[in-house]
Amino acid sequence: MPKKGCVPDVMTYHCFFRSLEKPREILLMFDRIIESGIQPKMDTYVMLMRKFGRRGFLRPVFLVWKKMEELGCNPDEFAYNALIDVLIEKGMLDMARQYEEEMFAKGLLAKPREELGTKLVQGGLDGG
């Protein structure tokens, strides 16, 4: 693409990520984005964490989370929920609870989860 004058953007890389299967290939492509000066979007982090999680890979999920923090991105509720989902899937309920508590401390809302006893809050935090 660059040889033809087309500079890939973050959405271009999203397409590549969807077609890649091996965690190592995905992480190398992720590093390539960052090295090229392209700032990943929160959607990028969430997509990658969910992709790794669906395939049962925990270590890459934490590598993506760490990179997100290193690059100065504050995780939003979608990022937290993606991470918590992976932790629950792996049976790591205590760690999932810790991230959920961190999420609440930041004023973010978690999705309802039976495993953690999280319930849907109707009408906001004040219950009205």
Side-chain angles (χ1 to χ4, degrees), residues 4-23:
K4 297 284 186 180
C6 295
V7 180
D9 62 10
V10 72
M11 296 312 292
T12 306
Y13 284 104
H14 279 213
C15 294
F16 290 131
F17 287 136
R18 286 188 183 100
S19 67
L20 295 173
E21 295 295 324
K22 297 178 183 174

Side-chain angles (χ1 to χ4, degrees), residues 6-63:
C6 295
V7 180
D9 62 10
V10 72
M11 296 312 292
T12 306
Y13 284 104
H14 279 213
C15 294
F16 290 131
F17 287 136
R18 286 188 183 100
S19 67
L20 295 173
E21 295 295 324
K22 297 178 183 174
R24 183 168 171 74
E25 290 175 345
I26 295 167
L27 290 171
L28 287 172
M29 181 69 67
F30 184 60
D31 286 340
R32 188 173 176 184
I33 286 179
I34 295 162
E35 289 168 7
S36 71
I38 296 172
Q39 179 68 35
K41 295 181 177 188
M42 189 56 66
D43 290 349
T44 309
Y45 300 112
V46 172
M47 176 183 63
L48 292 176
M49 288 189 292
R50 290 194 186 286
K51 183 171 183 124
F52 289 131
R54 279 192 307 271
R55 288 169 174 74
F57 299 112
L58 185 59
R59 185 175 176 273
V61 170
F62 280 110
L63 291 172

Side-chain angles (χ1 to χ4, degrees), residues 61-106:
V61 170
F62 280 110
L63 291 172
V64 170
W65 185 270
K66 182 180 177 190
K67 187 59 77 173
M68 177 179 57
E69 293 179 324
E70 286 173 1
L71 293 173
C73 289
N74 291 320
D76 63 9
E77 64 188 55
F78 299 103
Y80 273 105
N81 281 315
L83 177 60
I84 293 167
D85 287 342
V86 172
L87 292 171
I88 289 171
E89 185 67 32
K90 287 295 204 177
M92 302 173 76
L93 298 181
D94 289 338
M95 188 178 281
R97 248 183 230 96
Q98 289 174 346
Y99 279 100
E100 188 177 68
E101 288 170 13
E102 182 179 308
M103 189 178 179
F104 291 145
K106 292 181 176 184

